[in-house]
Amino acid sequence: MEIVYDVLVVLHLVGMAGIVSGVVARSVAPAGPAPAITMWSAGAQVITGVALVGIASAGLVANEIDNAKVAVKLAIAVAVLVLAHIWLRRPESDRRLFGTVAGLTFVNVVIAVIW
């Protein structure tokens, strides 16, 4: 199960990199695939994050779970996913959503590293 867990960690990090690349792509080229990249990457983050917590909570790996941290990170990740979906569907609200998605993504990374 360690291999499955490690693969999920890699996919989780790739999802985070996808969100960051969507934000960077939007800042470089305002018209382009940035909202779609961000939305799909945020979805990957939520799915892999839930899978990682499930595997660890089941005791299949030797990782401890901090439920408060997981709850905060899940709430932020779902907010990023919803905002990225709105950003994809309503490009006219681009500026506000872009800043919010970028900020929440940064906060989630800080929580993952420092907490």
Side-chain angles (χ1 to χ4, degrees):
M1 192 51 82
E2 285 287 333
I3 293 172
V4 172
Y5 189 83
D6 291 341
V7 168
L8 285 172
V9 169
V10 169
L11 292 174
H12 193 68
L13 292 173
V14 168
M16 186 264 309
I19 295 172
V20 172
S21 69
V23 168
V24 170
R26 163 51 183 85
S27 63
V28 173
I37 292 169
T38 305
M39 186 188 73
W40 289 105
S41 298
Q45 280 270 277
V46 171
I47 291 168
T48 57
V50 168
L52 287 168
V53 170
I55 289 172
S57 295
L60 300 174
V61 292
N63 291 359
E64 292 291 323
I65 297 296
D66 181 353
N67 288 323
K69 177 181 177 178
V70 168
V72 169
K73 286 186 55 57
L74 179 61
I76 293 172
V78 169
V80 168
L81 177 60
V82 168
L83 291 174
H85 186 71
I86 293 170
W87 183 19
L88 180 66
R89 298 292 177 208
R90 296 186 187 146
E92 67 275 1
S93 60
D94 183 54
R95 177 168 290 174
R96 287 174 286 158
L97 287 177
F98 166 71
T100 306
V101 166
L104 286 174
T105 300
F106 179 74
V107 167
N108 223 6
V109 170
V110 169
I111 291 170
V113 172
I114 294 177
W115 188 342

